[in-house]
Amino acid sequence: MATIIDGKKVSADIEQQTVAGVARLTERGVTPGLAVVLVGEDPASQSYVGMKERDCERIGIRSFDHRLPAETPQEELNELIDRLNADPDVHGILVQLPLPVGFDTEAVIARISPEKDVDGFHPFNLGQLVRGLPAHRACTPYGVMKMLESYSIDPAGKHAVVVGRSTIVGKPMALLLLNANATVTVCHSRTRDLPAVCRQADILVAAVGRAKMITSEYVKPGAVVIDVGINRTDAGLVGDVDYDDVLPLASAITPVPGGVGPMTRAILMANTVAAAEAITKTE
Ligand code: NDP
């Protein structure tokens, strides 16, 4: 019988640690602050930003809400980032992605001060990850690592297969697993015979964005299956993994919803508090 990896429980544990971090900062007279920048009116992005702001409120992080119309010139967004970089009350900056068409997303990410880049997407932070050095880690893949740790699943020596190679999920996921001494294979849309490659996995991470694509044909008996996917379908929210089909084979599996999703938000809050601790350490 597969262990169901409970993202709600693990994220609640992480939140407790974050709340303790907020208390430590408060003792020093510091209130951690997260600036959330939303450009345009994409409904999914609006909903994500709303959830993050509610998380901040619950945990004791001050959130600074910046909403800009989709037609905002890039220069204006750049100036806002510059102001937030210089603002001592802001310890974390999150620009909700995707930005509307026409924006240079890479330039925006690179403009955020690396120490305030709580999403972990800045080239400096990704470079630190490549080097195995401390930095802000991308929230979703770092959340997956925390889930594995919480269930005593040690990637060392295991074959991890990551399906997806985005900068937000797939690549940092592969690097985190590699840094944890897994043997890592990264798959993408040009991978040949994907099911056969996936069947080699002791730990299979699906970050594809295709509803229920990973069926039992892709899973070795006893594998740990981590479903990062969030797909809105007529039947509701589903992952990239066909949960019911894969469940009898897996030794452990994350559900959708209630798996990786809550972890991403919990890590964002933890990264913000870590940023506030690092930035104010010498004050
Ligand atoms: P992207 O669209 O940026 O990347 C998808 C990746 O999957 C690409 O590398 C693509 O390959 C690969 N891919 C697409 N189709 C196939 C296929 N048929 N076979 C093999 N590989 C394929 O998505 P993201 O990485 O941003 O997100 C992935 C999923 O995770 C989405 O469902 C997203 O909603 C979800 N997500 C969930 C989060 C959470 O908090 N739980 C946070 C972030 C994302 P190629 O590079 O060749 O195009």
Side-chain angles (χ1 to χ4, degrees):
M1 187 61 191
T3 301
I4 313 299
I5 300 180
D6 185 348
K8 283 193 199 148
K9 177 172 184 315
V10 185
S11 62
D13 293 345
I14 292 196
E15 183 167 311
Q16 261 192 358
Q17 294 162 25
T18 306
V19 168
V22 172
R24 281 196 303 275
L25 285 163
T26 309
E27 271 175 29
R28 289 203 273 121
V30 176
T31 305
L34 174 67
V36 179
V37 180
L38 174 61
V39 187
E41 287 175 0
D42 176 62
S45 293
Q46 282 177 334
S47 143
Y48 289 141
V49 162
M51 287 193 287
K52 289 166 188 174
E53 288 176 345
R54 284 196 293 282
D55 289 344
C56 283
E57 199 177 328
R58 196 178 57 250
I59 289 168
I61 295 174
R62 195 187 301 166
S63 72
F64 302 90
D65 186 34
H66 295 273
R67 300 199 182 208
L68 307 176
E71 55 279 3
T72 301
Q74 170 106 24
E75 198 42 49
E76 216 173 285
L77 178 56
N78 290 347
E79 282 164 17
L80 172 61
I81 305 279
D82 292 347
R83 279 203 305 281
L84 296 173
N85 281 340
D87 186 341
D89 290 334
V90 171
H91 306 104
I93 302 172
L94 178 149
V95 177
Q96 184 65 44
L97 300 179
L99 286 169
V101 178
F103 280 92
D104 182 345
T105 302
E106 295 302 331
V108 172
I109 291 171
R111 203 162 183 113
I112 297 171
S113 161
E115 60 184 6
K116 297 190 178 184
D117 165 45
V118 285
D119 258 339
F121 298 157
H122 189 282
F124 174 83
N125 287 321
L126 286 172
Q128 291 288 95
L129 175 60
V130 171
R131 299 178 75 111
L133 295 173
H136 291 307
R137 302 300 193 216
C139 300
T140 302
Y142 194 47
V144 170
M145 297 306 288
K146 289 286 174 192
M147 286 177 124
L148 295 176
E149 189 186 306
S150 178
Y151 281 79
S152 303
I153 299 166
D154 182 2
K158 302 215 169 69
H159 188 173
V161 174
V162 180
V163 190
R165 58 172 165 181
S166 73
T167 313
I168 294 175
V169 188
K171 281 181 192 160
M173 185 77 257
L175 285 162
L176 284 166
L177 287 163
L178 183 61
N179 291 349
N181 298 314
T183 302
V184 182
T185 302
V186 184
C187 301
H188 45 79
S189 63
R190 307 284 287 273
T191 299
R192 279 194 220 145
D193 198 355
L194 186 64
V197 180
C198 290
R199 276 198 303 274
Q200 294 174 23
D202 303 309
I203 300 174
L204 178 61
V205 183
V208 192
R210 285 175 182 260
K212 297 189 178 187
M213 187 184 102
I214 304 295
T215 59
S216 52
E217 191 200 350
Y218 292 67
V219 178
K220 176 170 81 174
V224 173
V225 180
I226 306 289
D227 189 354
V228 178
I230 298 178
N231 306 288
R232 283 162 220 284
T233 69
D234 293 342
L237 213 63
V238 298
D240 290 342
V241 174
D242 187 337
Y243 184 84
D244 294 332
D245 190 34
V246 167
L247 185 65
L249 276 178
S251 63
I253 188 165
T254 62
V256 176
V260 177
M263 294 301 299
T264 302
R265 284 162 55 196
I267 298 291
L268 175 70
M269 298 297 121
N271 279 356
T272 302
V273 168
E277 281 177 333
I279 290 168
T280 60
K281 203 169 50 188
T282 51
E283 281 176 4

XYZ file of all heavy atoms in Angstrom, residues 178-212:
256
model
N 20.444 16.020 -7.615
C 21.853 15.699 -7.864
C 22.709 16.081 -6.653
O 23.568 15.307 -6.201
C 22.322 16.457 -9.114
C 23.735 16.205 -9.598
C 23.927 14.746 -9.982
C 24.044 17.099 -10.802
N 22.445 17.276 -6.111
C 23.187 17.723 -4.927
C 22.924 16.808 -3.730
O 23.740 16.734 -2.809
C 22.828 19.171 -4.565
C 23.354 20.166 -5.587
O 24.148 19.813 -6.455
N 22.912 21.412 -5.511
N 21.772 16.123 -3.764
C 21.446 15.159 -2.704
C 21.925 13.753 -3.083
O 21.462 12.758 -2.508
C 19.942 15.159 -2.429
N 22.810 13.695 -4.076
C 23.489 12.444 -4.455
C 22.621 11.406 -5.155
O 22.952 10.220 -5.156
C 24.179 11.804 -3.235
C 25.240 12.720 -2.674
O 26.035 13.281 -3.434
N 25.237 12.925 -1.372
N 21.524 11.869 -5.775
C 20.780 10.963 -6.657
C 21.508 10.893 -8.002
O 22.292 11.784 -8.340
C 19.365 11.486 -6.876
N 21.228 9.835 -8.747
C 21.640 9.777 -10.150
C 20.445 10.284 -10.939
O 19.349 9.728 -10.817
C 21.971 8.321 -10.547
O 23.003 7.863 -9.687
C 22.392 8.219 -11.999
N 20.647 11.363 -11.700
C 19.483 12.088 -12.215
C 19.389 12.025 -13.740
O 20.381 12.239 -14.433
C 19.529 13.571 -11.771
C 18.291 14.317 -12.273
C 19.623 13.680 -10.255
N 18.198 11.742 -14.224
C 17.899 11.847 -15.660
C 16.822 12.909 -15.824
O 15.848 12.920 -15.071
C 17.359 10.498 -16.191
O 18.334 9.481 -15.941
C 17.071 10.570 -17.690
N 17.031 13.823 -16.770
C 16.026 14.856 -17.029
C 15.386 14.581 -18.397
O 16.096 14.444 -19.395
C 16.652 16.269 -17.031
C 15.561 17.323 -17.202
C 17.434 16.517 -15.753
N 14.066 14.501 -18.418
C 13.341 14.221 -19.668
C 12.556 15.450 -20.116
O 12.249 16.328 -19.317
C 12.361 13.074 -19.456
S 13.152 11.557 -18.918
N 12.208 15.486 -21.369
C 11.469 16.617 -21.941
C 10.720 16.136 -23.167
O 10.663 14.925 -23.436
C 12.444 17.760 -22.254
C 13.682 17.301 -22.925
N 13.714 17.012 -24.271
C 14.911 17.002 -22.428
C 14.928 16.591 -24.577
N 15.674 16.566 -23.473
N 10.201 17.088 -23.946
C 9.312 16.696 -25.043
C 10.055 15.960 -26.165
O 9.421 15.322 -26.997
C 8.612 17.933 -25.617
O 9.558 18.807 -26.166
N 11.380 16.025 -26.179
C 12.126 15.332 -27.237
C 12.737 14.014 -26.761
O 13.478 13.375 -27.491
C 13.251 16.262 -27.753
C 12.770 17.642 -28.186
C 12.084 17.610 -29.540
N 13.035 17.430 -30.605
C 13.698 18.417 -31.208
N 13.453 19.667 -30.849
N 14.554 18.187 -32.170
N 12.441 13.639 -25.515
C 12.975 12.374 -24.994
C 12.346 11.196 -25.742
O 11.128 11.167 -25.941
C 12.658 12.257 -23.484
O 13.293 13.342 -22.816
C 13.151 10.940 -22.898
N 13.194 10.252 -26.143
C 12.661 9.068 -26.848
C 12.220 8.010 -25.840
O 12.909 7.789 -24.856
C 13.756 8.478 -27.743
C 13.858 9.224 -29.027
C 14.691 8.441 -30.025
N 15.525 9.396 -30.721
C 16.756 9.172 -31.133
N 17.322 8.011 -30.905
N 17.423 10.102 -31.763
N 11.140 7.376 -26.139
C 10.562 6.321 -25.303
C 10.514 6.726 -23.825
O 11.134 6.103 -22.958
C 11.335 5.003 -25.471
C 10.497 3.812 -24.981
O 9.392 4.050 -24.452
O 10.964 2.667 -25.091
N 9.769 7.795 -23.603
C 9.648 8.338 -22.238
C 9.196 7.290 -21.210
O 9.782 7.214 -20.117
C 8.701 9.543 -22.259
C 8.556 10.327 -20.969
C 9.873 10.978 -20.558
C 7.473 11.389 -21.094
N 8.185 6.462 -21.523
C 7.768 5.484 -20.507
C 8.929 4.589 -20.063
O 9.074 4.321 -18.865
C 6.681 4.667 -21.225
C 6.155 5.580 -22.274
C 7.327 6.415 -22.725
N 9.766 4.157 -21.006
C 10.881 3.260 -20.647
C 11.885 3.974 -19.747
O 12.405 3.383 -18.786
C 11.570 2.744 -21.913
N 12.157 5.254 -20.043
C 13.098 6.008 -19.196
C 12.490 6.182 -17.799
O 13.165 5.975 -16.793
C 13.445 7.385 -19.822
C 14.417 8.149 -18.935
C 14.021 7.216 -21.223
N 11.215 6.536 -17.765
C 10.557 6.763 -16.462
C 10.516 5.476 -15.629
O 10.606 5.534 -14.403
C 9.141 7.298 -16.665
S 9.114 8.984 -17.286
N 10.397 4.346 -16.309
C 10.315 3.071 -15.565
C 11.632 2.727 -14.858
O 11.691 1.820 -14.049
C 9.907 1.926 -16.499
C 8.399 1.807 -16.706
C 8.007 0.443 -17.259
N 8.685 0.130 -18.505
C 8.280 0.481 -19.728
N 7.173 1.181 -19.863
N 8.970 0.142 -20.799
N 12.695 3.462 -15.193
C 13.961 3.238 -14.478
C 13.989 3.976 -13.132
O 14.913 3.806 -12.340
C 15.136 3.747 -15.316
C 15.349 2.975 -16.598
C 16.432 3.626 -17.443
O 17.276 4.350 -16.937
N 16.385 3.370 -18.730
N 13.001 4.829 -12.921
C 13.086 5.746 -11.777
C 12.754 5.078 -10.449
O 11.742 4.392 -10.317
C 12.126 6.909 -11.995
N 13.635 5.322 -9.465
C 13.270 5.038 -8.071
C 12.432 6.193 -7.538
O 11.554 6.014 -6.704
C 14.530 4.890 -7.209
C 15.454 3.811 -7.720
O 14.973 2.690 -7.951
O 16.659 4.096 -7.925
N 12.789 7.411 -8.014
C 12.003 8.607 -7.673
C 11.613 9.258 -8.999
O 12.487 9.625 -9.791
C 12.829 9.600 -6.827
C 13.281 8.948 -5.513
C 12.028 10.872 -6.549
C 14.234 9.807 -4.680
N 10.333 9.377 -9.251
C 9.853 9.948 -10.511
C 9.153 11.274 -10.204
O 8.206 11.306 -9.415
C 8.873 8.976 -11.181
C 8.233 9.428 -12.495
C 9.289 9.673 -13.574
C 7.220 8.385 -12.982
N 9.655 12.355 -10.802
C 9.044 13.672 -10.589
C 8.414 14.123 -11.900
O 9.109 14.236 -12.914
C 10.083 14.716 -10.127
C 9.399 16.056 -9.853
C 10.828 14.234 -8.879
N 7.116 14.377 -11.885
C 6.415 14.815 -13.090
C 6.147 16.311 -13.005
O 5.442 16.769 -12.108
C 5.103 14.054 -13.232
N 6.742 17.073 -13.914
C 6.527 18.528 -13.977
C 6.368 18.892 -15.441
O 7.221 19.521 -16.053
C 7.690 19.273 -13.332
N 5.253 18.469 -15.998
C 5.040 18.531 -17.443
C 3.950 19.533 -17.818
O 4.067 20.263 -18.809
C 4.622 17.136 -17.987
C 4.681 17.112 -19.498
C 5.480 16.036 -17.411
N 2.860 19.539 -17.040
C 1.729 20.381 -17.401
C 0.776 19.681 -18.353
O 0.121 20.328 -19.160
N 0.705 18.341 -18.266
C -0.245 17.569 -19.089
C -1.037 16.640 -18.182
O -0.466 15.726 -17.563
C 0.504 16.738 -20.129
C 1.005 17.603 -21.254
C 1.848 16.828 -22.216
N 2.315 17.744 -23.232
C 1.778 17.858 -24.437
N 0.791 17.082 -24.795
N 2.251 18.742 -25.280
N -2.349 16.867 -18.143
C -3.210 16.163 -17.191
C -3.078 14.644 -17.322
O -3.234 14.090 -18.414
C -4.664 16.585 -17.405
N -2.759 13.998 -16.213
C -2.758 12.530 -16.076
C -1.900 11.819 -17.114
O -2.193 10.677 -17.487
C -4.200 12.000 -16.148
C -5.082 12.500 -15.011
C -6.405 11.762 -15.041
C -7.305 12.187 -13.898
N -8.500 11.400 -13.794
